Amino acid sequence: KSDIVELKSDMAVVKSDIVELKSDMAVVKSDIVELKSDMALVKSDIVELKSDMTVVKTDIIDLRNDMNTMEGRIDAKMEQLNENVKGIRFTIENEIRPSIALIAESHFILNRKLDEAIRVAGSIEMTRIRVSILEDDVKKLKRAVNM
């Protein structure tokens, strides 16, 4: 009898443990259900991210292609610009510099001629003054003689 009482008491402990385990299992089950729903959300987010990554990869490929195209265009424009600069340098060396030298030389000649013309004009002016003085002297002499 004492064994049975002991056994009953042990069984009561086991029953209470089983009840506790059942309640813990219910909590675990609800946690698992919650985890499953969270995992479903994570899976859908991963699918969405994969889709977005595919779009991003496509955009990056397009950007690379655009950059390559732009690089080609820039290279072509740079080559054209270099050719234009060479042409401008050629024009400066062969046409503009000699023309400037010719203009400078002509200016020098004209300046020298102007200096000569100013000198001649100065002597002409002096001659006019002398002639005017001589005319006055001649008039005085004529008056003196006519008197």
Side-chain angles (χ1 to χ4, degrees), residues 61-79:
I61 290 170
D62 290 345
L63 285 173
R64 282 183 184 163
N65 290 337
D66 290 348
M67 288 298 292
N68 289 337
T69 302
M70 291 295 282
E71 188 176 318
R73 288 180 184 168
I74 289 172
D75 288 343
K77 290 289 182 182
M78 285 299 290
E79 192 168 320

Side-chain angles (χ1 to χ4, degrees), residues 77-141:
K77 290 289 182 182
M78 285 299 290
E79 192 168 320
Q80 183 181 10
L81 183 62
N82 285 337
E83 289 299 318
N84 287 345
V85 168
K86 285 179 186 176
I88 290 169
R89 284 182 181 165
F90 182 77
T91 301
I92 288 172
E93 290 291 327
N94 294 328
E95 295 176 20
I96 295 175
R97 282 189 181 172
S99 296
I100 290 173
L102 182 62
I103 290 170
E105 186 178 321
S106 297
H107 177 72
F108 179 72
I109 292 169
L110 287 175
N111 196 22
R112 195 171 2 147
K113 286 183 180 180
L114 179 63
D115 288 344
E116 288 174 17
I118 290 172
R119 207 172 330 138
V120 169
S123 76
I124 290 173
E125 195 61 34
M126 288 303 290
T127 305
R128 284 186 184 156
I129 292 171
R130 286 185 192 141
V131 168
S132 175
I133 292 171
L134 289 175
E135 284 178 348
D136 285 343
D137 289 343
V138 169
K139 285 180 187 175
K140 287 179 186 176
L141 286 175

Side-chain angles (χ1 to χ4, degrees), residues 4-18:
I4 292 179
V5 170
E6 192 179 324
L7 212 92
K8 278 185 181 179
S9 114
D10 287 343
M11 282 305 281
V13 170
V14 169
K15 279 185 181 180
S16 75
D17 286 347
I18 288 175

